[in-house]
Amino acid sequence: MLEVRNLTKVYDDGTVALKDVSFQVEQGEFLVIIGLSGSGKSTLLRCINRLIDPTEGQILWNGIDVTAAEGAELRQIRRKIGMIFQHFNLVKRSSVLMNVLSGRLGYTQSSSLFYRFSPSDRQMALDALERVGISNQATKRADELSGGQQQRVGIARALMQQPEMILADEPVASLDPVLAHSILGYLETLNQEEGMSILCSLHYLDLVQRYANSVIGLRDGQVVYRGTKKQIQSMTDEEFKEIYGEEAIRVGVGGEI
Amino acid sequence: MGMRTVHRDKKPSLVPPPAAAVASLVVPGFGQMLTRQVWRGLLIMGSLASIIALFIWRVNGIAHREPTLLAMINRSLQRRPLFIVIVLIGIVLMWALNVWDAYRQAQPGKQPGTGIFILIAVVFFVLGWQISEIDLEKAVVELPDALPPLSRVLWPWEAAFTRETETVSAEAPILSPCDDNPPPPPEEIPGEPYLVAEPTCGDLSDLDENNDVIPGTTLHLIGRGFAPNTETQIWWEDPIGQEFRVRKEGEYLTVMTDSEGSFETDVVMPYRLIPPSAEGRLIHFISARQTSEVGGLLPSEPLMLTIERMVETIFLGMMATAFGIVFSIPISFLAARNLMSGSWLSLLVYYLTRTVLNIIRSIEPLIWALIAVVWVGLGPFAGIIALTVHSIAALGKLYSEAIEGIDAGPIEAIQATGATSLQTIMYAVIPQMIPPFVSFSIYRWDINVRMSTVIGLVGGGGIGFILIQYIRLLDYRAAGIAVWFIAFTVAILDYVSSEIRQRFV
């Protein structure tokens, strides 16, 4: 459903963030991208929904070239791709409900400009909050919630898009390990029960081994590793160091080292 | 400049300790410089030089008639012994300490002491005391002078209310000069006040060629039917309608009515300069008046005026804030670095806007008011212009910093949902901007109301305008009313604005 072909991104200051990256995401896949900070993971995810314009290459979403899409066409593509972020990116001073409802903006007409939503949209937002277990927090301000709760609001917002795929940029990097499993658990449920494709960047190998269907490893903007679920389970420290560099030490999540 | 550790190994001195000491004896600080402590030497040299210069200036001010410096110091010593002695001892001590310090600095491994700098600070303090004419003795001795105005300002409420008055009066005609047909006394109506003069005609007082007074006819006044046991004033009205109170031996004539409301008194007809056109048979009136307070308390004129001006002040501040907000919002976008860093041209606009805002902001509203008064004349409009100009600069800076502080994350997140750019602004930008904007605007209104009381002092309208008038008229009670109202308003506004701001941030 998503095919990335020879994607290259060079920033204005000359930094090469991505270099000739190609891969595919199949319907219902849980693809994890691993790599050091600065290896190009965030840039790659943001190129897919064009928050960043790639320099070269193609991104095919259900056969449509995302890199060439503009205006209404681009928005149609974006609304089918949900996104969650490391720092949650909620509007802190707005209510939880309003943050969730804003996920519906790709579908609504101009009435939403004045913060008005149809009753069905509101019901949908409450249902989404119910699904992530925080329906009792709907009227609170977003910044009154804990980090884990905020990320669940982020997921609820993505659900409002009725997405076919979710991009998750380091969704658990700001959370402690217990919450990390809780958040990734929601993504896994969506992946397994609703067949949503998940494209997620992660840091910890233990989490990768636990949740990924397949993995690509990025280093200096290039794909240096591709592995299936099976290959990941048996990944050695040598392969790990190949991706993360010689200085890397394997740090476990949940106590195992 | 970043933090640097100061503890370095001292470089060795260029000269041996005695040579450094001699150098500092001749030119203070020079010895320290020779030991490679250049800044220390310059500081000592500069301090001592300015202390001596300031000392000579003050001595010259105290005894400027003396021909030589020594004579001046001598004379000053008689007038301000304490000041002269302390500073002279200070200078001598500093000089000596400076020599010792140079000697010490030239020795290897000695850490620089701070004693000489403490002494410098003390001498500067003594000079400052004298230059700024601090006089504690006067402050204590003449404190009683300040108490009456102070007590009136602190408790002005006696002047805040008045009572309505009622005047009871009766008058009688007086012909001057007399002719064959003097006017009859007024008819007595029972129950009404009644005044009769005997005789009903006579001559006014006059002046002879030596400007001595020739007394006029003495009139015997009998009054009846007035309020009993009440002060009664005697007034005179001349044929051209001018009224004045009659005097007796220089004092205003006041008589007390008896228990039946009657009185009797003698009045010498006053001196009046009658214009030649009014020559002939002229009728004057003499009257007796009783003024009594009736009814309840009424707000006095200063109180009413203060309330009116206070309302004017609040609205003055509000209008200036409103104009300030309207103009500063577009300007704040030009002064936000994250919006303007696109090209060198926009960056130029950014720096230009920032510079102009900083210059405007650094000029006090009081000075803007002086300019505005020249421009549009005295009154609240001048105050509004002054405060608006300053508000634009202050709010422009605060708003632009709020824009610079916007979190890009939510913008990214809303874009990713497939929202249009207008929706992105409404959902990701505006919600982030409104709380600081509201907070800054209310804070500014608070500042503007406080400022407008000061702006009035230079003619910018509002309550400050009448406050300065009352102070100049030495009407401390009225001034006190204005001061209290300013204090009430500022306190209330301060509370309200902080409450509102807390809800928004």
Side-chain angles (χ1 to χ4, degrees):
Chain A
M1 80 193 302
L2 181 78
E3 188 180 355
V4 175
R5 286 185 192 158
N6 311 103
L7 197 68
T8 297
K9 172 65 188 175
V10 183
Y11 283 108
D12 287 345
D13 61 358
T15 314
V16 182
L18 295 173
K19 211 161 153 187
D20 201 23
V21 172
S22 300
F23 65 93
Q24 284 190 353
V25 183
E26 299 304 332
Q27 173 82 42
E29 199 175 349
F30 198 126
L31 176 65
V32 171
I33 307 169
I34 57 174
L36 280 176
S37 303
S39 60
K41 302 190 299 290
S42 290
T43 305
L44 176 58
L45 289 173
R46 279 168 174 72
C47 280
I48 289 168
N49 63 1
R50 289 277 304 281
L51 290 176
I52 292 175
D53 285 326
T55 314
E56 271 175 52
Q58 276 186 316
I59 299 164
L60 294 175
W61 168 255
N62 294 332
I64 306 164
D65 187 359
V66 180
T67 54
E70 284 304 329
E73 193 188 7
L74 177 60
R75 292 199 298 274
Q76 294 268 332
I77 296 167
R78 276 179 176 169
R79 77 179 190 189
K80 280 292 165 194
I81 305 175
M83 190 162 185
I84 60 176
F85 302 85
Q86 178 181 356
H87 299 295
F88 325 129
N89 289 3
L90 304 180
V91 179
K92 293 191 178 63
R93 289 183 179 108
S94 297
S95 72
V96 167
L97 188 66
M98 190 51 73
N99 269 289
V100 176
L101 279 168
S102 67
R104 202 66 192 154
L105 289 173
Y107 291 87
T108 53
Q109 302 300 313
S110 51
S111 68
S112 66
L113 273 184
F114 306 102
Y115 308 102
R116 297 193 173 280
F117 289 89
S118 68
S120 60
D121 282 347
R122 298 180 80 86
Q123 189 54 51
M124 191 178 171
L126 290 172
D127 290 345
L129 283 172
E130 185 82 41
R131 276 178 78 174
V132 294
I134 48 169
S135 55
N136 55 338
Q137 313 278 0
T139 54
K140 281 195 179 169
R141 257 171 57 157
D143 58 358
E144 289 173 32
L145 267 52
S146 67
Q149 289 175 323
Q150 289 195 34
Q151 192 58 294
R152 291 195 229 175
V153 176
I155 294 173
R157 177 172 64 190
L159 287 177
M160 293 294 282
Q161 295 175 233
Q162 297 174 310
E164 294 169 20
M165 181 167 81
I166 288 182
L167 305 175
D169 181 23
E170 304 269 9
V172 296
S174 313
L175 303 174
D176 59 51
V178 181
L179 287 171
H181 280 293
S182 152
I183 294 297
L184 287 172
Y186 283 113
L187 293 182
E188 189 176 46
T189 310
L190 293 173
N191 175 249
Q192 288 173 357
E193 292 178 7
E194 309 207 4
M196 280 183 207
S197 310
I198 309 283
L199 184 49
C200 176
S201 60
L202 285 177
H203 253 104
Y204 294 115
L205 186 59
D206 299 358
L207 292 175
V208 178
Q209 287 174 331
R210 165 73 182 74
Y211 293 99
N213 287 159
S214 56
V215 169
I216 57 175
L218 280 184
R219 188 172 172 184
D220 299 329
Q222 284 176 296
V223 179
V224 293
Y225 177 85
R226 284 173 205 270
T228 61
K229 192 173 175 79
K230 216 164 191 177
Q231 288 167 314
I232 292 292
Q233 302 303 339
S234 56
M235 192 180 192
T236 61
D237 280 4
E238 279 65 42
E239 285 173 307
F240 184 67
K241 278 189 177 169
E242 182 74 16
I243 304 164
Y244 276 82
E246 285 304 315
E247 320 84 65
I249 305 161
R250 204 174 136 182
V251 181
V253 176
E256 328 144 38
I257 294 173
Chain B
M1 262 198 289
M3 297 273 289
R4 259 185 294 165
T5 29
V6 193
H7 268 289
R8 286 166 296 185
D9 282 333
K10 253 176 29 173
K11 285 182 190 162
S13 168
L14 294 174
V15 292
V22 170
S24 273
L25 184 65
V26 179
V27 182
F30 187 51
Q32 282 84 347
M33 288 187 217
L34 290 178
T35 69
R36 298 203 190 182
Q37 300 278 320
V38 177
W39 282 110
R40 192 181 180 88
L42 280 177
L43 201 59
I44 290 171
M45 191 184 283
S47 306
L48 208 58
S50 43
I51 284 172
I52 291 171
L54 288 168
F55 178 67
I56 293 171
W57 172 53
R58 291 320 286 174
V59 163
N60 190 32
I62 295 168
H64 57 93
R65 292 219 187 89
E66 305 300 322
T68 64
L69 184 64
L70 215 61
M72 277 185 195
I73 294 176
N74 210 0
R75 187 95 186 84
S76 309
L77 199 58
Q78 289 165 12
R79 290 195 179 166
R80 301 264 191 284
L82 200 61
F83 167 68
I84 301 293
V85 167
I86 291 178
V87 176
L88 275 178
I89 291 175
I91 291 172
V92 171
L93 256 178
M94 253 158 65
W95 207 297
L97 210 57
N98 138 69
V99 171
W100 180 72
D101 183 71
Y103 185 85
R104 235 174 91 88
Q105 291 298 314
Q107 290 172 318
K110 290 274 182 190
Q111 282 302 318
T114 50
I116 188 161
F117 295 108
I118 294 172
L119 186 63
I120 288 171
V122 169
V123 175
F124 269 116
F125 182 81
V126 173
L127 279 165
W129 187 284
Q130 208 276 332
I131 290 169
S132 52
E133 294 175 15
I134 292 174
D135 191 343
L136 286 182
E137 191 193 328
K138 194 173 183 179
V140 173
V141 169
E142 299 188 3
L143 185 62
D145 291 1
L147 292 179
L150 192 65
S151 67
R152 284 187 198 126
V153 168
L154 290 181
W155 190 254
W157 305 115
E158 285 150 45
F161 298 98
T162 53
R163 283 172 191 279
E164 215 167 351
T165 57
E166 191 181 65
T167 305
V168 177
S169 78
E171 61 179 15
I174 308 291
L175 178 68
S176 173
C178 278
D179 62 7
D180 301 338
N181 193 14
E187 276 182 47
E188 184 172 358
I189 305 165
E192 295 279 305
Y194 164 75
L195 181 71
V196 63
E198 182 59 36
T200 56
C201 73
D203 295 313
L204 292 164
S205 299
D206 204 354
L207 298 178
D208 62 13
E209 53 272 24
N210 298 325
N211 275 354
D212 289 326
V213 178
I214 308 164
T217 314
T218 300
L219 304 174
H220 184 66
L221 297 181
I222 301 164
R224 278 189 217 106
F226 287 89
N229 305 318
T230 307
E231 278 192 3
T232 309
Q233 298 172 352
I234 307 300
W235 289 70
W236 190 275
E237 186 186 345
D238 68 17
I240 49 176
Q242 285 182 323
E243 284 189 312
F244 57 96
R245 284 183 72 178
V246 177
R247 288 169 186 269
K248 194 173 199 177
E249 289 148 9
E251 296 292 321
Y252 285 133
L253 178 60
T254 317
V255 292
M256 286 294 285
T257 50
D258 61 19
S259 56
E260 281 156 9
S262 306
F263 68 89
E264 284 189 42
T265 187
D266 287 331
V267 170
V268 178
M269 284 176 67
Y271 171 77
R272 284 275 80 184
L273 195 62
I274 301 299
S277 57
E279 287 288 344
R281 193 173 181 277
L282 295 173
I283 301 285
H284 299 249
F285 287 94
I286 191 161
S287 61
R289 296 179 187 175
Q290 287 181 324
T291 307
S292 55
E293 291 180 338
V294 291
L297 291 173
L298 287 176
S300 69
E301 202 193 320
L303 182 66
M304 293 303 289
L305 206 56
T306 298
I307 292 171
E308 273 172 35
R309 289 309 173 104
M310 200 69 242
V311 172
E312 186 182 293
T313 302
I314 292 168
F315 278 92
L316 194 158
M318 197 189 81
M319 295 309 286
T321 313
F323 288 131
I325 292 169
V326 167
F327 289 112
S328 59
I329 285 177
I331 290 170
S332 67
F333 284 94
L334 298 180
R337 206 194 167 99
N338 54 347
L339 300 182
M340 300 300 286
S341 54
S343 72
W344 66 268
L345 192 69
S346 60
L347 209 59
L348 187 75
V349 173
Y350 162 80
Y351 279 115
L352 215 66
T353 316
R354 273 279 154 132
T355 311
V356 171
L357 287 184
N358 282 338
I359 292 171
I360 294 176
R361 209 162 42 86
S362 61
I363 300 173
E364 282 292 308
L366 207 63
I367 293 157
W368 287 115
L370 287 168
I371 296 167
V373 164
V374 176
W375 179 13
V376 297
L378 296 173
F381 185 44
I384 289 176
I385 289 178
L387 288 175
T388 301
V389 170
H390 200 255
S391 297
I392 290 172
L395 284 177
K397 184 182 154 64
L398 291 174
Y399 288 169
S400 63
E401 275 161 16
I403 295 170
E404 283 172 7
I406 278 188
D407 182 4
I411 298 174
E412 199 177 50
I414 298 294
Q415 276 180 340
T417 66
T420 62
S421 40
L422 204 56
Q423 284 174 322
T424 307
I425 290 172
M426 292 302 287
Y427 281 84
V429 180
I430 303 272
Q432 290 194 63
M433 272 166 57
I434 283 190
F437 269 47
V438 170
S439 163
F440 291 143
S441 305
I442 290 171
Y443 183 48
R444 190 67 213 175
W445 184 36
D446 183 357
I447 291 177
N448 278 350
V449 171
R450 263 185 285 148
M451 282 280 188
S452 62
T453 62
V454 180
I455 292 282
L457 301 183
V458 295
I463 197 160
F465 199 50
I466 57 164
L467 176 60
I468 194 77
Q469 281 179 19
Y470 287 144
I471 291 173
R472 287 193 181 133
L473 292 170
L474 307 182
D475 190 349
Y476 291 111
R477 286 223 168 83
I481 293 172
V483 167
W484 274 106
F485 266 82
I486 292 170
F488 288 149
T489 311
V490 169
I492 292 169
L493 208 67
D494 197 55
Y495 176 75
V496 171
S497 90
S498 74
E499 278 291 304
I500 298 177
R501 275 187 288 136
Q502 261 180 5
R503 303 229 168 128
F504 267 97
V505 180

